Amino acid sequence: MAGTENRLRVVVTVPLREDLCRLIEELEPRIELVRDHTLLPPMRGPADWSGDPDFTRTAEQQQAFEALVDSADALFGIPDVQASELARTVEANPGLRWVMTTAAGGGGTVKAAGLDREALDRVVFTTSAGVHGGPLAEFAVFGVIAGAKGLPRLLADQRTRTWPDRWEMRQVDEMTVLVVGLGGIGAECARRFDALGARVWGTTRSGEPVEHVERLVPLDQLVDAVAHVDAIVITLPGTAQTHHLIDAEVLAAVKPGAIIASVGRGTVIDEEALLAALDDERISFAALDVFEQEPLDQTSPLWAHPRVLVSPHTAALNSKEEERIARRFAENAARLLDGEPLRAVVDTVEFY
């Protein structure tokens, strides 16, 4: 994309604090950042991009909002975080060039919009992928350490005030950790586990070396690899290709006592197969921030399983998330204006 324009008209379509709007303008002065906070729902907490569900616009406000959105060269956020609104504005605004989704998994919303190939080729879609790498990597480390140190047993003994005989805990620096997915999150996981002294393996499609990863494992060798590792960290996006990648065959092959930490998308793990592996203790502990169905169904056995830690898809949430996304947007705006490749572009075939 040739960057011949001197200005980029950007419309903010989701709630974003005014100080962060000004930050974007300071970081990239060539942006004309258009926002009307009265047309956007207030956030209820950090990075609440959908905002208060009780917020409504009058007919006049809705008309004004759509007129703003349809005047943009680029959008900060998908309007109202709704696939239908994205489809509407892509059709209504032939000048739209770029949309940044505030979610790392925003490709799913782009897919749900049902855009035709002409629209997908005309508009570049990017996500916040990689912005959440640090917090999610910390959760993965926490999950593996919790499994290694026997957190469920410690909590159970504490609840019953039991002082058992001393028992041996595992050490991370004696473990081999397989990171399934070496994107932004996976690379941050690798860096942290390497710093803790673990041997780090990672799956790869490209075969390109990744810092802090001792061994690259082609995905078609996953079943063989899991037999030799002590922990499996899953960071992959949810696509047709990754659906149930961690299935009964993979879980049957794991080294007995392996630990799982999942921070990518819940659809990567076959939860029925995981439960079977937990029940027969092939998997000794699972720290899960994501699930096949969210919220997790009240009837799911995962809630009450003694060796499962349930986190309600909250591990990425951080008070600095909004600022990191704002900075990413400003960086990508500069890239667009300078004719350079954008970061975290959505693959419009697999939509991740």
Side-chain angles (χ1 to χ4, degrees), residues 39 56-66:
L39 300 178
T56 57
R57 300 185 187 98
T58 65
E60 292 79 8
Q61 286 177 320
Q62 184 64 30
Q63 185 177 9
F65 178 67
E66 291 181 4

Side-chain angles (χ1 to χ4, degrees), residues 77-152:
I78 290 175
D80 294 332
V81 199
Q82 294 291 329
S84 58
E85 288 304 302
L86 176 62
R88 188 206 62 77
T89 194
V90 168
E91 181 177 358
N93 181 3
L96 185 63
R97 301 171 55 200
W98 168 40
V99 177
M100 178 176 173
T101 76
T102 49
T109 307
V110 177
K111 181 179 181 180
L115 304 174
D116 61 25
R117 178 45 54 187
E118 183 278 329
L120 292 171
D121 289 342
R122 170 169 60 90
V123 182
V124 176
F125 299 92
T126 65
T127 74
S128 62
V131 165
H132 310 89
L136 290 175
E138 285 196 5
F139 182 86
V141 169
F142 162 67
V144 171
I145 291 177
K149 303 306 179 186
L151 179 63

Side-chain angles (χ1 to χ4, degrees), residues 269-320:
I269 299 179
D270 180 339
E271 289 177 2
E272 286 190 16
L274 175 61
L275 281 162
L278 283 159
D279 287 342
D280 67 16
E281 300 189 19
R282 282 172 287 148
I283 299 298
S284 63
F285 182 75
L288 308 174
D289 184 54
V290 289
F291 300 88
E292 290 195 69
Q293 176 184 324
E294 296 182 2
L296 182 61
D297 193 286
Q298 290 293 308
T299 64
S300 171
L302 291 169
W303 281 111
H305 200 286
R307 292 190 306 283
V308 172
L309 178 66
V310 171
S311 169
H313 203 149
T314 196
L317 196 61
N318 179 274
S319 61
K320 291 289 187 180

Side-chain angles (χ1 to χ4, degrees), residues 164-220:
D165 292 336
R166 297 173 68 197
W167 46 277
E168 183 179 356
M169 294 182 175
R170 299 157 76 180
Q171 288 187 216
V172 174
D173 66 2
E174 295 175 353
M175 299 174 73
T176 299
V177 178
L178 173 64
V179 180
V180 182
L182 288 173
I185 300 167
E188 287 295 321
C189 290
R191 184 168 70 86
R192 284 162 169 76
F193 281 109
D194 180 54
L196 290 170
R199 298 177 66 196
V200 182
W201 295 2
T203 64
T204 177
R205 283 184 173 182
S206 68
E208 294 294 323
V210 177
E211 194 174 6
H212 307 293
V213 178
E214 178 180 313
R215 176 183 168 187
L216 295 174
V217 177
L219 273 176
D220 60 7

Side-chain angles (χ1 to χ4, degrees), residues 30 44 49 52 61 67 70 118 143 153 175 183 195 203 217 220 226 234 276 305 335 340 351-352:
R30 293 173 291 177
R44 296 159 295 174
W49 304 109
D52 187 344
Q61 286 177 320
D70 295 348
E118 183 278 329
R153 181 174 180 177
M175 299 174 73
T203 64
V217 177
D220 60 7
V226 295
I234 301 155
H305 200 286
R335 287 173 174 268
E340 297 177 359
F351 291 95
Y352 71 90

